Amino acid sequence: MTTTVLWLGTLGSWLFIVTFVLDGWTRPGYRPVRHAVSALALGPRGWVQGANFIVCGAAITAGAVAVAGALGSVPLAVVIGVFGLSLVASGVFPMDPMRGYPPGTSEETPTEVSTAHKLHDYAGALVFFALPAAALIAAFVLPETGWKWYSALTAAAGTAGFLAFGHAWETDHPRSGLVQRATIVVGWVWLGLLFAHAADVSG
C-alpha cells in the first residue's frame, strides 16, 4: 500500500504538468507565455485546471503521508503535505479574471480583488515556498550523494524561480507565464522523482 501511495504522488506531480501544458496550448485566447497557470481555472473550461489543482494536490498530499516512513523524515513529509494541500486550496479558491483572460477581460490588473483571489495568492505563496523548502530538507536527510546534490540544486532553482516569477507577475512582464512554467517544471519533476525514489526504497 505504501508503494502504491508513493506512486500516486509521482502521478499527481507529473499529471499536473501535462494537464496545464495541454490545456494551455489548446485554450482559445489563452497565452501560456504571459498568463499564469492559475488563469486556466477561469472561463468555460476552467473546471479542467480547477480539478487539476485539487486532484493532483490530493494525490501529492496522500503520497506525502508515506514519505515519512519510506525516507525516514517527518519534516520532509510535512512540508510536502503542506505543498499538496496548498495546491488543493489553489483550486478551491480561483484567481480573479485579469490581464486579458478570459477573452474580453481588461488587460489591466484590478486595484481591488476578491477574497477568493487573496486566498488563492496565499495558497500560491505556500506552494512556491514549500517545494524549495522540501528540496532543501531532502538535501540534508537523503543519504545518497546524487540525491543530495539534485535536491540542493532544485532548492536553489526553485527559490530563484519563485523570486523571478514574483517580480515578473508584479510588473506584468509579457513572459511571466513562461517564468512560472519553468519554475513549476523544475520543482514538480523533482518531486515526482522523489516519490518514485521513495517507492523504490520502500519496495
Side-chain angles (χ1 to χ4, degrees):
M1 180 61 72
T2 297
T3 302
T4 300
V5 174
L6 289 167
W7 280 115
L8 185 63
T10 294
L11 177 63
S13 302
W14 295 347
L15 181 62
F16 185 85
I17 297 173
V18 172
T19 300
F20 78 67
V21 168
L22 293 179
D23 194 25
W25 277 348
T26 59
R27 184 79 70 92
Y30 182 83
R31 289 170 281 171
V33 172
R34 180 195 181 192
H35 293 138
V37 168
S38 293
L40 286 169
L42 305 172
R45 265 168 56 180
W47 66 269
V48 175
Q49 180 57 31
N52 193 30
F53 274 126
I54 294 170
V55 172
C56 293
I60 289 169
T61 303
V65 175
V67 164
L71 298 180
S73 176
V74 172
L76 179 59
V78 169
V79 175
I80 294 174
V82 169
F83 170 78
L85 290 173
S86 299
L87 276 180
V88 173
S90 296
V92 173
F93 304 107
M95 68 176 287
D96 290 347
M98 61 179 66
R99 299 181 179 179
Y101 193 81
T105 302
S106 169
E107 290 289 337
E108 304 301 318
T109 302
T111 55
E112 297 292 332
V113 294
S114 67
T115 299
H117 183 95
K118 292 176 183 177
L119 291 172
H120 182 87
D121 279 352
Y122 297 148
L126 274 176
V127 165
F128 285 101
F129 173 79
L131 196 54
L136 183 61
I137 293 171
F140 284 98
V141 302
L142 296 180
E144 301 86 356
T145 301
W147 269 103
K148 285 182 178 295
W149 277 105
Y150 180 29
S151 299
L153 290 172
T154 300
T159 301
F162 178 30
L163 295 174
F165 172 63
H167 176 71
W169 175 260
E170 290 300 322
T171 59
D172 191 15
H173 193 281
R175 291 184 176 80
S176 56
L178 184 62
V179 175
Q180 186 193 39
R181 280 162 172 75
T183 304
I184 288 174
V185 169
V186 169
W188 272 244
V189 167
W190 169 83
L191 182 60
L193 289 172
L194 181 74
F195 278 127
H197 171 64
D200 183 61
V201 170
S202 67

